[in-house]
């Protein structure tokens, strides 16, 4: 049974609406004292107990705007009962105070389906994130010591261009020579091949001829965060 909480300024006028929700087999709780200086300290904990939050038409738009971030942070489904459009809120979250019981039933059913689709998308994103993490592990574990030093130095640069001499200093402890520079160019080429082999499409090394190299990673700092985690 889905649990619904109605936030209102007047409990008495919510009785008919509460009865309609209960007829649709929802467990309903009506709360009046909530978002004021004397609101219960456990207000946010109360919200966590429910599946759907309904903002009564008795609340002002400002009160609705103030409370909404808390609801969104907890990823709760919400509805705003209203007799007029609500700024910056799409129709999926606006519930007319004139709706019939049938319309209410269908509206809540669609909300449940949308929430289920959202949860499916969320799980898919988590799987993608885990797959990207595995790709990074595969990539980093395939590097030799020189290649690891190069990618680490570029990652520490946080998107800045690092000259070939500076990179050479970091990798070989201030030993810069033509042979080292050639060795570094070869190592950078190998790193690029291993990035492609690991199917990492959001990380690449960009060459700036005459200036040096820059590590492009999305989001910024992705590789540096992974290197720190992998090295622990």
């Amino acid at each position: 049974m889905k649990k619904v909480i109605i936030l209102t300024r007047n409990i008495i006028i919510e009785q008919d609406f509460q009865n309609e929700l209960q007829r649709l087999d929802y467990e309903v709780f009506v709360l009046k004292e909530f978002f004021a200086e004397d609101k219960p300290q456990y207000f946010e904990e109360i919200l966590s107990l429910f599946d759907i939050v309904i903002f009564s038409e008795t609340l002002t738009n400002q009160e609705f705007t103030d409370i909404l971030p808390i609801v969104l942070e907890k990823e709760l489904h919400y509805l705003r009962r209203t007799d007029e459009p609500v700024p910056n809120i799409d129709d999926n979250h606006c519930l007319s105070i004139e709706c019939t019981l049938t319309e209410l039933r269908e509206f809540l059913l669609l909300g449940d389906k949308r929430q289920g689709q959202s949860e499916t998308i969320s799980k898919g994103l988590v799987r993608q994130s885990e797959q990207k993490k595995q790709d990074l592990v595969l990539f980093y574990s395939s590097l030799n010591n020189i290649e690891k030093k190069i990618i680490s130095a570029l990652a520490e640069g946080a998107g800045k261009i690092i000259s070939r001499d500076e990179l050479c200093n970091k990798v070989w402890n201030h030993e810069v020579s033509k042979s080292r520079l050639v060795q570094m160019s070869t190592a950078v080429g190998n790193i690029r091949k291993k990035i492609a082999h690991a199917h990492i499409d959001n990380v690449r090394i960009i060459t700036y001829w005459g200036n040096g190299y820059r590590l492009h990673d999305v989001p910024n700092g992705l590789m540096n965060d992974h290197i720190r985690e992998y090295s622990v």
Side-chain angles (χ1 to χ4, degrees), residues 14-30:
E14 306 296 344
Q15 289 180 349
D16 289 343
F17 182 52
Q18 181 179 357
N19 291 336
E20 289 183 340
L21 288 169
Q22 290 171 335
R23 287 178 62 188
L24 295 173
D25 200 30
Y26 287 89
E27 184 177 343
V28 185
F29 183 82
V30 182

Side-chain angles (χ1 to χ4, degrees), residues 23-198:
R23 287 178 62 188
L24 295 173
D25 200 30
Y26 287 89
E27 184 177 343
V28 185
F29 183 82
V30 182
L31 183 63
K32 178 181 177 182
E33 303 296 337
F34 48 94
F35 206 71
E37 291 182 1
D38 58 346
K39 72 179 184 300
Q41 295 297 318
Y42 47 84
F43 173 62
E44 294 188 25
E45 296 179 15
I46 289 176
L47 291 185
S48 300
L49 300 175
F50 294 88
D51 304 296
I52 302 173
V53 179
I54 298 181
F55 295 89
S56 168
E57 69 276 17
T58 62
L59 270 63
T60 66
N61 285 338
Q62 185 59 56
E63 289 171 328
F64 168 69
T65 302
D66 289 341
I67 302 171
L68 184 59
I70 301 174
V71 175
L72 294 176
E73 182 181 355
K74 295 183 177 300
E75 299 182 349
L76 301 174
H77 183 52
Y78 72 92
L79 298 172
R80 168 64 156 150
R81 292 198 80 197
T82 180
D83 56 358
E84 61 182 16
V86 181
N88 302 320
I89 298 296
D90 63 50
D91 293 340
N92 293 332
H93 296 285
C94 292
L95 181 65
S96 172
I97 60 175
E98 302 296 336
C99 72
T100 65
L101 181 63
T102 300
E103 290 171 338
L104 177 61
R105 180 195 66 206
E106 296 303 311
F107 195 91
L108 291 172
L109 180 61
L110 287 174
D112 289 342
K113 289 181 178 179
R114 285 192 293 267
Q115 188 173 17
Q117 291 170 352
S118 177
E119 290 173 354
T120 299
I121 293 172
S122 178
K123 290 178 182 178
L125 291 174
V126 169
R127 286 195 296 269
Q128 290 180 16
S129 178
E130 288 300 317
Q131 183 60 53
K132 287 182 178 180
K133 186 174 181 179
Q134 293 175 12
D135 291 342
L136 285 171
V137 170
L138 173 64
F139 161 69
Y140 194 73
S141 62
S142 71
L143 302 178
N144 61 36
N145 289 333
I146 296 300
E147 292 164 353
K148 285 180 180 178
K149 288 182 179 180
I150 290 174
I151 199 71
S152 295
L154 291 172
E156 288 174 1
K160 297 179 181 178
I161 298 175
I162 299 180
S163 70
R164 298 178 76 234
D165 284 355
E166 181 182 355
L167 191 57
C168 211
N169 285 331
K170 289 177 177 292
V171 175
W172 283 285
N173 296 320
H174 305 287
E175 184 183 341
V176 180
S177 64
K178 288 185 178 180
S179 62
R180 290 300 190 196
L181 292 173
V182 170
Q183 189 177 352
M184 185 174 62
S185 297
T186 301
V188 169
N190 289 336
I191 293 172
R192 287 182 171 132
K193 292 177 183 177
K194 292 177 179 180
I195 288 174
H197 180 72

